[in-house]
Amino acid sequence: KKNHSNKISPRETYYIPSIYSSFPIIRLQMTSDYDNVNISGIRLETPIQINIGRLSPYLIFEYRNYVFSFDNEEKKQPKGDFGGKAFISGLKFPFRLFKTKPEFSIMTGKFHFKKGALIGLDLPQKLSGNSPLKIKYSIRTNIIQTGNKNGTGWVDFGLFLGYSINKEIISSIRDLF
């Protein structure tokens, strides 16, 4: 008889803090006129699972900064720059697809103006051995509310650089204090 009560495998007992940067590949009309775009942030993937039926996604948190700006002062006058900071949280759903292990995520939270949502697909880069370094490529759809009945968005391609930290290491550091 198999023991199904312990769903967390060794790979899933890590916290993965990471930094990332991305650039839009598709923009809606409101963001399409801007010359410069800077999208970056930090993300924390946790081993905390939430059981939803047959799914057991992991909790993730993200702090991001996104700024769309103009090179030219004349263009800047009527619209101004667009963007700000966002704190979002959500769920990551890892799955197996052939020989890869992509991760689907859905997040929501407070963006610079109002609420927003982010839907993503991450593809982890396979590294040699059991390297704690994590590299992921991502495609993400960003939907941001800009008023009571309107919004904007974009699809971006990004790169995450992270490092796995085992829960036992965190416990040993905490024991020092």
Side-chain angles (χ1 to χ4, degrees):
K1 189 174 180 178
K2 291 183 179 179
N3 179 6
H4 294 286
S5 63
N6 187 4
K7 289 187 174 186
I8 298 177
S9 69
R11 181 194 156 272
E12 299 155 342
T13 61
Y14 291 89
Y15 288 87
I16 304 173
S18 57
I19 58 172
Y20 72 90
S21 183
S22 63
F23 62 91
I25 52 177
I26 299 172
R27 297 191 232 179
L28 292 182
Q29 185 176 359
M30 185 177 178
T31 58
S32 64
D33 294 337
Y34 290 98
D35 302 317
N36 302 312
V37 180
N38 180 4
I39 304 171
S40 59
I42 57 174
R43 180 159 99 176
L44 178 64
E45 299 177 34
T46 74
I48 301 167
Q49 284 184 294
I50 298 172
N51 294 322
I52 305 170
R54 296 179 59 150
L55 301 174
S56 294
Y58 297 92
L59 195 56
I60 54 177
F61 300 95
E62 189 170 307
Y63 174 79
R64 64 188 342 232
N65 187 43
Y66 54 99
V67 177
F68 292 77
S69 61
F70 293 108
D71 283 337
N72 185 329
E73 276 301 317
E74 288 177 23
K75 285 167 108 180
K76 193 179 213 177
Q77 291 306 319
K79 277 174 97 173
D81 293 346
F82 172 79
K85 296 169 180 20
F87 182 73
I88 53 179
S89 61
L91 300 173
K92 173 182 80 168
F93 300 83
F95 62 97
R96 184 174 291 281
L97 182 64
F98 304 111
K99 292 185 178 186
T100 63
K101 293 181 183 176
E103 301 165 349
F104 172 77
S105 61
I106 185 162
M107 296 182 278
T108 188
K110 175 78 172 91
F111 284 74
H112 79 282
F113 185 74
K114 282 195 169 200
K115 297 176 187 170
L118 198 144
I119 301 166
L121 182 66
D122 298 340
L123 184 61
Q125 174 70 41
K126 199 170 192 174
L127 300 174
S128 61
N130 291 328
S131 173
L133 180 64
K134 302 294 178 194
I135 299 171
K136 294 181 182 182
Y137 306 101
S138 72
I139 299 275
R140 300 166 68 154
T141 301
N142 301 261
I143 305 163
I144 299 175
Q145 189 176 359
T146 58
N148 290 333
K149 294 185 179 183
N150 54 358
T152 190
W154 64 91
V155 175
D156 62 48
F157 176 78
L159 176 68
F160 285 81
L161 299 174
Y163 193 85
S164 297
I165 301 173
N166 190 304
K167 285 194 325 188
E168 285 76 31
I169 292 172
I170 292 172
S171 295
S172 65
I173 292 169
R174 199 173 39 216
D175 290 343
L176 295 173
F177 300 98

